[in-house]
Amino acid sequence: MNPLEQSEHLLALKVMRLTRPTLVGPQVITCEPKDVPSFSLRQTLENEGTTVAGAETLAVGQFMLLPQSFGNIYLGETFSSYICVHNCTSHAVEGVTVKADLQSNSTRISLPMHENKSKPATLAPDETLDDVIRYEVKEIGTHVLVCEVNYITLAGIAQYFRKFFKFQVLKPLDVTTKFYNAEMDEIYLEAQIQNITTGPFCLEKVELDSSEQYTVTALNTLPNGESVFTSKNMLQPNNSCQFLYCIKPKPEIAKDINLLRMANNVGKLDIVWRSNLGEKGRLQTSPLQRLPFEYKDVRLEIIEALNIVKIGEPFTFQCRITNTTDRKMDLVVKLPTVLDFNCPYTGSAEFCLGSLESAQQREFPLTVFPTKLGLIKVSPLILINTLKQEQYTIAKVVDVFVVDDDYHEDETFQMNKFVRYDNASKPQYDDQSLQLQVV
């Protein structure tokens, strides 16, 4: 079967991309009728599609301009196109079928058309066969829409022809993340989203979908529930905004050091935006990998402690020690107090904690008596492994705010699980640029 020339075919194929119109402003040019350039200006205005007679005497508005070409589309948006086959002859054409394929750099996808028709159609004179195709683009780069029309001539000869429509799929967002390992089990994620399109868009939703090992708390709202951003979350081209999340391991993960070491995947960012006249797009990032925790030989957790205490009253806090090594330990706990006038608290402790197998935990209370007002720091805590004569010094144990005797608080606020490590270093963070994918 040899295809005929395009002008010789019995059917005509028309393809139009369905997209939202754009807003354009008309050209307003006015001059005196006797001015020399009036003729050339009048010709220019006659050729301008947005020109309205008498617009120079009115307030300048805007027009909706329909798409003039296939143009570009952004990753995560839905590509929609109207495909129409028209019988241009004076007789019926039988065996009409239309097939549409979308070809990218790596794949070729067949797009469903006329799903309600199980057999080829017969087109009467001036009759059309049309359908709308939709596909959510999932790959950046050059795409080609291939439309093929098959039919049978009056002589019973099968014929076909094709048309090709090329367009580009561009990246709409640039997402950068930073992970901060706090001195607790929590991880803080800062996500920066930048608009790299040519027009503004509105961020409709930016959420962190946690993995099975973690829970997520968004820190992008005020205490009254309002967003820290404006109601529209509008981003102009090349502008960016930041979102903050607190990530905590689930209790069954947090209590097991080995499981916590392996739980690196914290989740994915789910981003939904609206661009020109409400055009919707949605993307997900690749899985976010946190910084590994720096576990040393011992791990200290403050699992219960008051936030505020009165001066002179005992301040008791509950501690938990975990052996994070692969060997047995026999620990002695020391909380020394400096005999100095400037020491903010009194009270010391020294006792044997006993033997701890690998990954085993032991809880115990410690008590001090604050002697100064304000924020005081209880430190250091010394742990001695008598089996190998190793000493671990935890420089920062717990902070507490000391108030006067007449201070009154209606509700008691409990500190929620602090975690310390020996020789605790400064908070770490990690910059990551992410790959975007369509969901």
Side-chain angles (χ1 to χ4, degrees):
M1 177 179 63
N2 297 322
L4 303 173
E5 294 294 332
Q6 186 68 35
S7 59
E8 299 177 356
H9 284 289
L10 306 179
L11 304 176
L13 173 65
K14 301 295 182 182
V15 177
M16 181 179 69
R17 181 185 165 194
L18 301 179
T19 185
R20 306 294 174 94
T22 55
L23 296 175
V24 295
Q27 289 189 9
V28 179
I29 304 175
T30 183
C31 63
E32 294 294 331
K34 296 182 179 180
D35 285 348
V36 175
S38 63
F39 178 75
S40 59
L41 291 177
R42 187 166 59 252
Q43 280 189 323
T44 302
L45 293 177
E46 288 175 354
N47 296 329
E48 175 62 38
T50 60
T51 301
V52 178
E56 65 274 7
T57 62
L58 303 172
V60 180
Q62 289 184 315
F63 293 90
M64 286 188 175
L65 179 66
L66 295 177
Q68 305 299 301
S69 64
F70 255 57
N72 298 326
I73 188 171
Y74 291 100
L75 184 69
E77 294 182 341
T78 300
F79 171 75
S80 301
S81 186
Y82 172 74
I83 299 178
C84 172
V85 177
H86 179 68
N87 182 3
C88 307
T89 66
S90 58
H91 53 79
V93 178
E94 298 180 349
V96 180
T97 61
V98 186
K99 185 174 71 170
D101 293 339
L102 189 60
Q103 183 174 339
S104 65
N105 294 329
S106 60
T107 58
R108 185 183 180 105
I109 300 169
S110 180
L111 303 178
M113 289 190 62
H114 305 115
E115 295 179 319
N116 57 341
K117 295 184 179 180
S118 58
K119 58 183 181 179
T122 299
L123 294 184
D126 289 331
E127 189 179 0
T128 60
L129 177 66
D130 57 2
D131 201 356
V132 175
I133 58 172
R134 292 182 175 86
Y135 179 73
E136 192 173 9
V137 288
K138 302 178 180 180
E139 186 178 345
I140 295 175
T142 303
H143 286 60
V144 179
L145 177 64
V146 184
C147 298
E148 180 179 312
V149 179
N150 292 269
Y151 66 95
I152 299 175
T153 65
L154 291 176
I157 301 174
Q159 293 290 344
Y160 78 94
F161 64 93
R162 293 175 179 171
K163 279 190 176 182
F164 302 88
F165 304 90
K166 182 186 291 187
F167 60 95
Q168 295 290 330
V169 177
L170 306 177
K171 183 180 177 182
L173 307 172
D174 190 17
V175 181
T176 305
T177 61
K178 288 183 179 179
F179 277 99
Y180 299 87
N181 280 351
E183 294 179 343
M184 302 172 285
D185 281 340
E186 294 128 344
I187 310 164
Y188 290 92
L189 169 65
E190 177 192 343
Q192 176 177 287
I193 299 176
Q194 184 180 16
N195 176 8
I196 57 176
T197 68
T198 57
F201 63 65
C202 173
L203 287 173
E204 188 173 278
K205 183 182 76 169
V206 180
E207 292 182 356
L208 179 61
D209 296 334
S210 63
S211 63
E212 297 179 353
Q213 294 90 1
Y214 290 91
T215 60
V216 174
T217 303
L219 303 179
N220 306 304
T221 55
L222 300 174
N224 59 3
E226 295 181 2
S227 173
V228 297
F229 305 103
T230 59
S231 59
K232 295 182 179 180
N233 290 347
M234 184 67 70
L235 272 185
Q236 297 295 329
N238 298 321
N239 284 6
S240 61
C241 62
Q242 287 79 26
F243 296 84
L244 187 62
Y245 302 91
C246 178
I247 307 167
K248 295 181 181 180
K250 292 184 177 178
E252 61 270 19
I253 302 295
K255 67 182 181 181
D256 192 321
I257 294 298
N258 295 325
L259 290 178
L260 196 55
R261 281 196 178 109
M262 295 184 293
N264 295 324
N265 180 16
V266 299
K268 297 179 180 180
L269 278 172
D270 188 14
I271 306 169
V272 179
W273 72 93
R274 299 268 183 181
S275 56
N276 178 41
L277 294 180
E279 191 79 33
K280 186 176 181 179
R282 182 187 179 190
L283 288 174
Q284 270 192 351
T285 64
S286 54
L288 305 178
Q289 303 292 322
R290 66 159 174 80
L291 279 173
F293 284 108
E294 289 191 3
Y295 299 112
K296 300 186 181 179
D297 290 350
V298 291
R299 179 186 188 214
L300 171 66
E301 299 173 77
I302 305 301
I303 58 176
E304 184 180 351
L306 290 173
N307 194 38
I308 299 174
V309 297
K310 293 183 179 181
I311 191 168
E313 293 185 356
F315 169 52
T316 301
F317 51 97
Q318 193 74 13
C319 306
R320 179 189 292 155
I321 290 290
T322 306
N323 177 7
T324 59
T325 66
D326 55 359
R327 62 183 185 274
K328 182 180 179 180
M329 285 186 172
D330 196 348
L331 294 178
V332 173
V333 179
K334 291 184 179 181
L335 180 65
T337 302
V338 180
L339 297 178
D340 187 89
F341 179 75
N342 294 321
C343 185
Y345 61 89
T346 62
S348 61
E350 181 175 350
F351 57 91
C352 180
L353 192 62
S355 61
L356 288 177
E357 300 292 338
S358 177
Q360 189 177 357
Q361 300 174 339
R362 192 71 52 81
E363 296 181 7
F364 57 90
L366 290 174
T367 303
V368 296
F369 291 82
T371 59
K372 287 194 172 183
L373 298 176
L375 184 66
I376 67 171
K377 302 179 184 297
V378 179
S379 63
L381 184 67
I382 300 173
L383 304 173
I384 301 175
N385 181 13
T386 58
L387 297 180
K388 287 197 171 185
Q389 297 303 314
E390 296 170 329
Q391 178 172 307
Y392 306 97
T393 302
I394 300 176
K396 185 179 178 182
V397 180
V398 67
D399 300 341
V400 63
F401 191 73
V402 182
V403 297
D404 211 345
D405 293 336
D406 56 356
Y407 177 84
H408 176 72
E409 186 179 22
D410 294 334
E411 297 181 0
T412 302
F413 176 79
Q414 298 287 338
M415 191 82 76
N416 183 19
K417 191 178 180 183
F418 277 78
V419 182
R420 307 294 184 212
Y421 299 92
D422 66 297
N423 300 324
S425 58
K426 295 181 179 179
Q428 302 178 23
Y429 64 90
D430 179 34
D431 279 336
Q432 295 182 9
S433 294
L434 300 175
Q435 297 293 327
L436 297 174
Q437 60 188 19
V438 180
V439 293

